[in-house]
Amino acid sequence: MISEKLLAVIKKELNLNNDFELKPEMTASQVPGWDSLNHINIIVSIEKEYGIKFKGLEILKAKNIGDLQALVNSKFPA
Amino acid sequence: MPYPIDWTKFRELFEYVPHDPLLFGSSMFIFFFIAVLAVYRFFNGSNSFRVYTLIFFSLFFYYKAAGIYLLLLVFIAIINFYAGAWIFNAKTQRYKRLILTATIIVNLGLLGYFKYTNFFFEILNGLKVGHFDMLDIFLPIGISFYTFKAMSYLIEIYFEMLEPINSLRNFSLFVFFFPNVLMGPIDRAVNFLPQIEEKPVFTKEKIGLAVFLLCTGLFKKYVLADYISLNFTDRVVGFPLRFTGVENLLAVYGSALQGYADFSGYTDMALAIGLLLGFELMDNFNRPFKAYSVAEYWRRWHLSLSTWLLDYLFRPLQISLRNYRKLGTAIAIFITFFVVGIWHGPSFTFILFGLLHSFFLVFSMYTQPYRDEFYDKLKIRNTKWLRVLQIIFTFHLLAFTAILFRAPSLKYAGDMIKQIFTYFHSEVFTQYVVAYPSIVFLIVIGYVSHFLPDSWEKKTVDILGKTPLVFQAIILAVMIWLVAQVRSAQMQPFLYFKF
């Protein structure tokens, strides 16, 4: 499940319509406007919004939106 | 009286002869390859036998190209194989990074020594920091390709995209594999290694594709590239001031086509040979002159190098510089394209080539929002004719920077541009067309076929796949005959051999 907060960050950075459906298995190439420059903007915004810091390797390993959510979750142990 | 056998010549077939590698398309290569293919297919059942046949022939193939430097190839395979396992088994991330860095230094150190030592000395001598005599260093052919190929294994293990394999034999085949050892494609370990253990399946589609690629490869290399270069572009590039601007401009178009036809022709043959052995190699080209921007061009040209650098250099750099946002990306582009330039060779022309491309990309990135706004105002954004204009404009940027690839030095490149802008003489064009119709014809054929719809290629491959084997053989024989008719007395080495 992708959290509302993460969806909002991504949609804001990509200027996506609120109705646009983002699914966990979607990769950058399947989302309009998600190029390498916006990828960086999204990552920096997530870090800012959640007050967390990713490692370079963690970001490189994230292949889709689901991975990105899992990465955010890993920074907040239950 | 029987014709005496010249045993020296016979021995030479199996010995290293400088500047005489086994070129794809040469009769010697075809002879050896058919022999290997026969043995290979006959023992299809034994995986081990197939792998050893390929390793043995690959070593022989590399020995014919580089002699004793075969040992370097073997060394690269061994060191990267063991380093991969060490990285995987290392307990801490810090230790993993240390092994990765050390092994990359060894790989790049060897590459640097063989390729850049004299260039470095030249710079130091120029800066007058001392005097260094140039060393007589042999450049082992293909070193830039196989070190990058081997390093992909390490980096993929470090990125946890791949687990190391246990078989040094299989890893050696990945590094030595003769279709791509000299000039790429720089295949990825993650794609290649699993194919070794699979029993090859030779479907009709694959054979059809192999026949198609052999035909296009032979045509691009031996008809288009060699004919245009020997009879036209080499002469102009070598003495630009002897020719008018029109001829220099035609040479710019001819060189761009020749560079593509030479390299992609080689790649087509490499892919076809791979397919006939049951291996699918990474593709390197996707009609690069159809690109509507320089960024798009790098998604269509020398893909195995551009994606290598994108995944292993550009992205990590971009991520580590992410807090600088656009500026960070610009720095990452600049560094990546400096590497693209210097990878091609120790020369200022290549460095300038890389820097110009980084400038185009950075300029495009910063002006994109304004250009989009401008196109919106004129209501031409995403229209067909804007695309056409963008393709023509991009092509000219590429063709002019490609001069740096061909020109012996910056002065020659400058002379070509000077002639085009100050000594054009448009009236020479008709005279040229009348005097050299075959060259003009080949250049036109080359570009027209490049811009044909992609679907036509797919259809041709489908038809070839359904064609009976006998007809496939006839088609191939006709192509070889055509090549023999057009081919110059001596085969020209592939341009990318020097990289």
Side-chain angles (χ1 to χ4, degrees):
Chain A
M1 235 349 241
I2 307 300
S3 70
E4 287 301 321
K5 193 173 172 181
L6 183 62
L7 288 176
V9 175
I10 296 172
K11 285 183 178 172
K12 190 178 159 221
E13 279 303 329
L14 298 178
N15 285 326
L16 284 177
N17 212 320
N18 240 348
D19 311 333
F20 191 88
E21 197 184 352
L22 290 168
K23 294 177 196 155
E25 65 279 6
M26 279 171 115
T27 59
S29 60
Q30 293 164 318
V31 184
W34 196 326
D35 55 18
S36 72
L37 192 61
N38 275 328
H39 187 60
I40 291 303
N41 291 335
I42 290 168
I43 298 293
V44 176
S45 291
I46 295 173
E47 287 183 322
K48 228 178 180 175
E49 199 68 31
Y50 286 87
I52 51 178
K53 197 86 194 144
F54 299 128
K55 287 186 184 135
L57 199 55
E58 291 173 336
I59 305 170
L60 285 170
K61 273 159 55 185
K63 296 285 170 238
N64 54 34
I65 300 177
D67 288 351
L68 213 50
Q69 178 70 62
L71 184 58
V72 172
N73 295 347
S74 73
K75 300 286 167 185
F76 299 98
Chain B
M1 191 179 137
Y3 195 77
I5 296 173
D6 185 346
W7 288 105
T8 331
K9 285 256 180 251
F10 185 73
R11 212 178 54 222
E12 272 182 10
L13 295 180
F14 299 94
E15 275 180 357
Y16 165 61
V17 180
H19 312 296
D20 193 19
L22 282 176
L23 291 178
F24 292 169
S26 69
S27 44
M28 272 330 293
F29 176 80
I30 294 174
F31 170 75
F32 279 121
F33 181 63
I34 290 176
V36 166
L37 202 59
V39 173
Y40 189 79
R41 297 294 284 272
F42 189 74
F43 293 98
N44 205 11
S46 161
N47 192 46
S48 185
F49 190 86
R50 273 190 307 111
V51 173
Y52 279 118
T53 306
L54 285 181
I55 289 180
F56 180 76
F57 184 68
S58 296
L59 286 172
F60 170 66
F61 182 83
Y62 192 72
Y63 168 74
K64 283 290 286 174
I68 191 69
Y69 290 91
L70 169 70
L71 296 175
L72 181 72
L73 180 72
V74 174
F75 176 73
I76 294 272
I78 293 174
I79 189 156
N80 285 291
F81 174 74
Y82 286 107
W86 289 334
I87 292 173
F88 185 74
N89 294 320
K91 294 280 179 285
T92 64
Q93 198 58 33
R94 219 179 125 195
Y95 196 40
K96 283 177 195 281
R97 183 189 280 251
L98 189 73
I99 304 168
L100 176 76
T101 314
T103 323
I104 286 180
I105 289 173
V106 173
N107 280 300
L108 294 183
L110 284 168
L111 180 60
Y113 168 76
F114 285 106
K115 209 166 165 180
Y116 305 106
T117 306
N118 282 333
F119 182 57
F120 188 58
F121 285 175
E122 205 180 298
I123 294 173
L124 291 178
N125 287 345
L127 293 171
K128 299 204 175 10
V129 248
H131 181 76
F132 298 89
D133 289 326
M134 297 296 152
L135 302 177
D136 184 18
I137 299 174
F138 177 85
L139 178 65
I141 193 167
I143 185 170
S144 316
F145 293 92
Y146 62 74
T147 45
F148 270 51
K149 195 163 66 162
M151 280 194 290
S152 83
Y153 176 72
L154 294 183
I155 302 172
E156 280 165 6
I157 291 173
Y158 180 76
F159 283 175
E160 295 170 26
M161 289 155 64
L162 179 74
E163 288 196 3
I165 54 166
N166 294 322
S167 163
L168 177 60
R169 181 198 76 180
N170 286 6
F171 186 72
S172 300
L173 178 58
F174 164 61
V175 179
F176 302 163
F177 195 53
F178 73 91
N180 66 11
V181 73
L182 298 185
M183 234 171 76
I186 306 168
D187 242 55
R188 299 288 179 88
V190 77
N191 298 331
F192 190 90
L193 290 172
Q195 297 186 52
I196 300 176
E197 288 299 331
E198 284 165 19
K199 192 170 186 291
V201 186
F202 300 99
T203 59
K204 277 189 170 180
E205 290 76 24
K206 282 186 185 172
I207 301 293
L209 183 59
V211 172
F212 176 78
L213 290 171
L214 279 176
C215 290
T216 54
L218 287 167
F219 182 77
K220 282 182 194 166
K221 166 63 185 164
Y222 296 112
V223 180
L224 285 183
D226 282 1
Y227 192 86
I228 295 173
S229 87
L230 269 182
N231 296 296
F232 178 45
T233 52
D234 279 2
R235 298 178 195 180
V236 182
V237 173
F239 305 96
L241 294 178
R242 285 192 197 164
F243 296 87
T244 60
V246 164
E247 288 155 306
N248 272 283
L249 184 64
L250 283 171
V252 168
Y253 295 149
S255 288
L257 178 69
Q258 180 213 338
Y260 163 73
D262 193 284
F263 193 13
S264 79
Y266 178 93
T267 306
D268 286 356
M269 288 187 261
L271 295 182
I273 292 166
L275 279 172
L276 293 175
L277 296 167
F279 286 87
E280 278 183 48
L281 298 179
M282 185 174 183
D283 201 359
N284 243 352
F285 296 94
N286 182 15
R287 318 257 184 138
F289 300 134
K290 281 187 176 179
Y292 55 84
S293 71
V294 175
E296 161 88 350
Y297 167 74
W298 285 103
R299 289 191 283 270
R300 290 172 173 270
W301 170 268
H302 203 178
L303 289 164
S304 65
L305 177 70
S306 63
T307 54
W308 196 106
L309 291 169
L310 178 75
D311 290 345
Y312 306 147
L313 181 65
F314 174 74
R315 282 208 181 113
L317 273 172
Q318 195 196 22
I319 284 169
S320 62
L321 295 167
R322 64 185 178 278
N323 288 329
Y324 300 101
R325 301 251 179 162
K326 251 186 189 171
L327 179 65
T329 300
I331 296 170
I333 290 174
F334 173 77
I335 295 172
T336 307
F337 277 85
F338 177 77
V339 174
V340 167
I342 197 90
W343 180 91
H344 283 91
S347 149
F348 288 109
T349 49
F350 293 131
I351 294 176
L352 183 63
F353 169 84
L355 294 182
L356 279 171
H357 274 254
S358 66
F359 170 76
F360 297 151
L361 291 165
V362 171
F363 181 82
S364 164
M365 179 178 77
Y366 276 102
T367 57
Q368 183 80 52
Y370 307 106
R371 281 183 291 134
D372 285 347
E373 205 175 303
F374 178 69
Y375 298 147
D376 282 342
K377 251 184 205 166
L378 295 177
K379 296 193 174 121
I380 54 170
R381 193 169 163 186
N382 295 332
T383 54
K384 237 182 197 168
W385 70 269
L386 177 66
R387 259 296 132 87
V388 172
L389 285 181
Q390 285 172 325
I391 289 174
I392 295 172
F393 182 71
T394 306
F395 170 74
H396 282 83
L397 284 183
L398 300 170
F400 275 88
T401 45
I403 298 176
L404 294 166
F405 256 76
R406 291 296 317 282
S409 74
L410 286 177
K411 187 192 167 296
Y412 286 80
D415 283 347
M416 285 184 83
I417 292 172
K418 191 176 112 193
Q419 291 299 87
I420 292 169
F421 286 101
T422 63
Y423 192 66
F424 194 70
H425 285 275
S426 54
E427 72 282 1
V428 174
F429 181 73
T430 18
Q431 294 170 24
Y432 184 86
V433 175
V434 173
Y436 303 104
S438 54
I439 292 168
V440 177
F441 175 72
L442 281 180
I443 293 179
V444 171
I445 285 277
Y447 279 115
V448 168
S449 58
H450 190 85
F451 282 96
L452 291 176
D454 295 353
S455 57
W456 289 24
E457 182 175 323
K458 210 187 156 302
K459 269 181 208 153
T460 316
V461 173
D462 284 349
I463 294 169
L464 268 176
K466 286 172 192 150
T467 309
L469 201 61
V470 180
F471 289 108
Q472 288 178 344
I474 293 172
I475 292 166
L476 200 54
V478 168
M479 183 52 78
I480 292 172
W481 175 81
L482 179 71
V483 166
Q485 301 308 306
V486 181
R487 201 169 70 192
S488 49
Q490 205 183 1
M491 284 192 162
Q492 298 302 299
F494 291 93
L495 280 179
Y496 265 65
F497 271 173
K498 62 184 177 188
F499 307 140

